[in-house]
Amino acid sequence: MHTLKQQVERLFALGAEAGSDPTARAVFAEFRLALTRGHIRAASKDGDRWVTNVWVKQGILLGFRIGELAPVNEASGLSFIDKDTFPARNFSVEDKVRIVPGGSSIREGAYVAPGVICMPPMYINVGAYVDEATLVDSHALVGSCAQIGKRVHLSAAAQIGGVLEPINASPVIIEDDVLVGGNCGVYEGCIVRRRAVLGAGTILTRSTPLFDTVRGEIYRSTPEQPLIVPENAVVVPGSRAVTKGKAAEWGLSLYTPVIVKYRDEKTDRGIELEDLLR
């Protein structure tokens, strides 16, 4: 991939002139195919640390830069207008991805591993990486460059935000065996470590402190790293009182996520997915 990386970086450096380079379309097609097959990804794990592959994000942005608006017509009679560099992805039985009928869409340049189940309607954007045996439930979003591990359950209406720009910013990471409850939102490059559980309605952002009532810690993002949810943590929506100004006088409180326990056998029984679903 070293040669492809060099070609992408060269074309990205051309800025608005990249579209006039005669090699741009061919290079991008090779790049998009590598993304779709999972040979390259927007972030990769190095030991216990996630590293953003900046050149991959540059390649995705290059696709938007050189793409042209084109009609996308479907057999249903509906029509759409999008960049011709990012068409909707077509699947075959050989891909071993279960896509239930009902209005889901997955873009080319998104990797979806064998054993993934997609319940309608849901959307997986370019640059996303969805690993084996994950369930993407109805109305769920997997945003640009989001990295989803093995055996993850993204419940109904879960929103996994995309982080395409700035290009050096880490994308949202959901590690293996995580349960993301209904109507959860994970944004701005947050990392959810393996086997964590996000209770329904939990919202995580870079500016949101996470209160750990078990270990007596408060987790925050820093300029160098995003908010990180510890392994096995069970997080639920909570609140904290405002202690200053008019808000305190009025008795207001602000939302905050709270770790109330760490996974045990009882938790595992409560969130276990039936093998029959898969």
Side-chain angles (χ1 to χ4, degrees), residues 19 25 45 49 61 84 100 102 115 117 137 153 161 172 185-186 191 204 218 240 265 271:
R25 289 263 173 175
K45 202 169 186 182
R49 187 172 65 99
L61 291 171
D84 62 357
V100 178
I117 302 172
D137 216 333
H153 185 170
V172 173
V186 186
I191 297 176
L204 301 174
I218 302 175
R240 53 183 173 136
E265 290 184 9
I271 66 172

Side-chain angles (χ1 to χ4, degrees), residues 180-226:
V180 181
N183 286 297
C184 284
V186 186
Y187 308 106
E188 298 173 355
C190 292
I191 297 176
V192 182
R193 294 292 191 191
R194 62 182 300 273
R195 301 188 79 249
V197 176
L198 304 184
T202 300
I203 305 295
L204 301 174
T205 72
R206 197 177 185 94
S207 59
T208 308
L210 173 60
F211 289 78
D212 188 338
T213 62
V214 179
R215 297 175 177 172
E217 302 281 349
I218 302 175
Y219 306 112
R220 291 183 170 91
S221 66
T222 69
E224 291 75 34
Q225 73 173 27

Side-chain angles (χ1 to χ4, degrees), residues 23-58:
T23 68
R25 289 263 173 175
V27 169
F28 178 75
E30 180 184 354
F31 167 82
R32 190 183 65 195
L33 182 62
L35 264 182
T36 302
R37 290 179 173 176
H39 297 163
I40 58 175
R41 55 195 296 186
S44 51
K45 202 169 186 182
D46 181 10
D48 195 43
R49 187 172 65 99
W50 283 92
V51 178
T52 303
N53 298 317
V54 173
W55 77 274
V56 174
K57 297 178 80 173
Q58 288 177 333

Side-chain angles (χ1 to χ4, degrees), residues 84-263:
D84 62 357
T85 42
F86 292 110
R89 189 177 161 188
N90 294 315
F91 285 82
S92 67
V93 173
E94 287 71 27
D95 291 311
K96 299 180 180 179
V97 176
R98 182 177 161 200
I99 304 176
V100 178
S104 296
S105 183
I106 301 170
R107 254 180 167 169
E108 283 281 357
Y111 174 70
V112 184
V116 170
I117 302 172
C118 301
M119 299 300 293
M122 59 96 240
Y123 183 67
I124 301 176
N125 208 347
V126 61
Y129 188 102
V130 183
D131 217 335
E132 297 172 2
T134 283
L135 171 63
V136 185
D137 216 333
S138 300
H139 299 283
L141 164 71
V142 182
S144 301
C145 300
Q147 307 290 294
I148 312 297
K150 294 179 173 65
R151 299 173 300 278
V152 171
H153 185 170
L154 299 180
S155 300
Q159 305 291 290
I160 308 302
V163 182
L164 187 52
E165 295 183 282
I167 57 173
N168 61 341
S170 61
V172 173
I173 309 287
I174 309 292
E175 293 188 348
D176 296 347
D177 300 297
V178 168
L179 170 65
V180 181
N183 286 297
C184 284
V186 186
Y187 308 106
E188 298 173 355
C190 292
I191 297 176
V192 182
R193 294 292 191 191
R194 62 182 300 273
R195 301 188 79 249
V197 176
L198 304 184
T202 300
I203 305 295
L204 301 174
T205 72
R206 197 177 185 94
S207 59
T208 308
L210 173 60
F211 289 78
D212 188 338
T213 62
V214 179
R215 297 175 177 172
E217 302 281 349
I218 302 175
Y219 306 112
R220 291 183 170 91
S221 66
T222 69
E224 291 75 34
Q225 73 173 27
L227 179 69
I228 299 176
V229 176
E231 184 174 320
N232 287 311
V234 178
V235 187
V236 300
S239 62
R240 53 183 173 136
V242 180
T243 59
K244 296 180 181 179
K246 274 291 184 185
E249 181 183 331
W250 292 337
L252 299 182
S253 59
L254 298 176
Y255 162 81
T256 192
V258 179
I259 297 174
V260 292
K261 62 183 288 187
Y262 283 79
R263 275 178 72 159

